[in-house]
């Protein structure tokens, strides 16, 4: 797949089919993604690939917590700044409205938080979830490396005909995830990435992006 096509077609899919993902495809993707940029070549990411019965058990446990109204484990890092201001707040609100509409959840539904959490904890039906951890001794530079690594993974998945959905939500159930994958206390969960084939017949959701003039300044050109 052309790189531009991979970037353009990558989006957070929230409706996966039950079709199994070939292990060979995941091995190709993860082996190639190891070439992602890494300051000092630390390669700070530690990835657990979960599928089959372990994933089913994780989904059951996490969904039970979500449906019980469990607020989740204490945060180890903030998902967003405490006080978002424009234009970031505007972009966030617009994207959230699109997602709620696509998931069929009314914005004023009092059960909205529980419904959203339950959909997330089921990984939107994905048959595979990758969990990316970092050693607790790592700093902001290595977190940036992990972000570049995950983007590389998601683009390579497109080359295999697969889709993905990065989910920071899994950090809310990090203790449950840790017990399933066997991650020790020296690791911190960055996020999960649901992987699979998109379920046919579901209208695709494609959030907007800011105009280039809003985010890029050319100097000397």
């Amino acid at each position: 797949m052309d790189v531009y096509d991979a970037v353009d077609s990558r989006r957070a899919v929230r409706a996966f089919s039950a079709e199994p993902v070939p292990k060979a495809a995941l091995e190709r993707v993860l082996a190639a993604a190891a070439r992602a940029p890494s300051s000092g070549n630390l390669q700070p990411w530690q990835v657990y690939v979960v599928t089959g019965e372990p994933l089913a058990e994780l989904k059951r446990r996490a969904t039970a917590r979500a449906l019980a109204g469990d607020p989740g484990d204490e945060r180890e890092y903030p998902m967003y700044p405490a006080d978002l201001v424009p234009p970031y707040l505007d972009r966030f609100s617009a994207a959230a409205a699109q997602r709620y509409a696509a998931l069929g959840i009314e914005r004023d539904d009092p059960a909205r938080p529980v419904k959203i959490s339950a959909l997330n904890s089921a990984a939107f039906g994905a048959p595979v979830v990758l969990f990316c951890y970092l050693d607790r001794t790592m700093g902001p530079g290595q977190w940036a490396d992990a972000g570049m690594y995950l983007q590389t993974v998601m683009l390579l998945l497109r080359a295999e005909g697969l889709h993905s959905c990065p989910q920071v939500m899994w950090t809310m159930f990090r203790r449950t995830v840790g017990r399933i994958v066997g991650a020790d206390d020296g690791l911190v969960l960055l996020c999960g990435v649901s992987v699979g084939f998109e379920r046919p017949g579901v209208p695709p959701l494609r959030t907007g992006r800011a105009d280039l003039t809003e985010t890029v300044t050319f100097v000397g050109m």
Side-chain angles (χ1 to χ4, degrees):
M1 178 180 286
D2 177 82
V3 175
Y4 281 91
D5 289 339
V7 172
D8 187 61
S9 63
R10 189 221 61 81
R11 52 191 169 79
V13 166
R14 293 180 173 84
F16 293 93
S17 76
E19 182 179 350
V21 175
K23 182 180 180 181
L26 294 173
E27 289 176 332
R28 282 192 296 272
V29 165
L30 296 172
R35 301 302 308 175
S38 173
S39 180
N41 199 31
L42 298 188
Q43 302 169 65
W45 45 83
Q46 178 65 51
V47 177
Y48 294 85
V49 182
V50 186
T51 188
E53 181 51 34
L55 180 59
E57 178 62 19
L58 175 56
K59 289 179 179 181
R60 284 193 291 268
R61 294 186 190 183
T63 300
R65 293 182 64 181
L67 293 176
D70 188 331
D73 303 320
E74 67 276 14
R75 292 280 185 188
E76 295 196 292
Y77 70 91
M79 189 182 302
Y80 303 106
D83 296 308
L84 277 177
V85 297
Y88 314 109
L89 178 60
D90 300 330
R91 295 170 187 164
F92 176 87
S93 299
Q98 282 184 279
R99 284 196 299 272
Y100 297 147
L103 294 172
I105 301 174
E106 297 294 332
R107 197 172 184 82
D108 57 355
D109 184 346
R112 184 184 69 182
V114 171
K115 289 180 179 179
I116 292 173
S117 186
L119 284 169
N120 272 279
S121 61
F124 304 106
V128 176
V129 180
L130 314 179
F131 291 100
C132 182
Y133 284 81
L134 291 93
D135 192 287
R136 290 187 184 280
T137 62
M138 297 295 105
Q142 289 71 56
W143 284 64
D145 287 348
M148 290 186 280
Y149 167 78
L150 290 175
Q151 172 72 348
T152 303
V153 168
M154 289 186 283
L155 293 180
L156 289 168
L157 288 170
R158 291 300 303 121
E160 297 284 349
L162 294 159
H163 277 284
S164 61
C165 182
Q167 295 176 272
V168 177
M169 175 286 310
W170 283 109
T171 61
M172 295 173 59
F173 302 129
R174 61 184 178 81
R175 296 189 188 280
T176 302
V177 175
R179 282 191 288 270
I180 292 292
V181 304
D184 62 49
D185 291 339
L187 297 175
V188 58
L189 178 59
L190 171 59
C191 70
V193 180
S194 294
V195 177
F197 294 97
E198 188 171 19
R199 192 167 72 228
V202 177
L205 170 64
R206 188 174 177 83
T207 54
R209 290 296 187 267
D211 187 81
L212 193 67
T213 58
E214 294 183 44
T215 60
V216 177
T217 300
F218 290 97
V219 180
M221 296 185 69

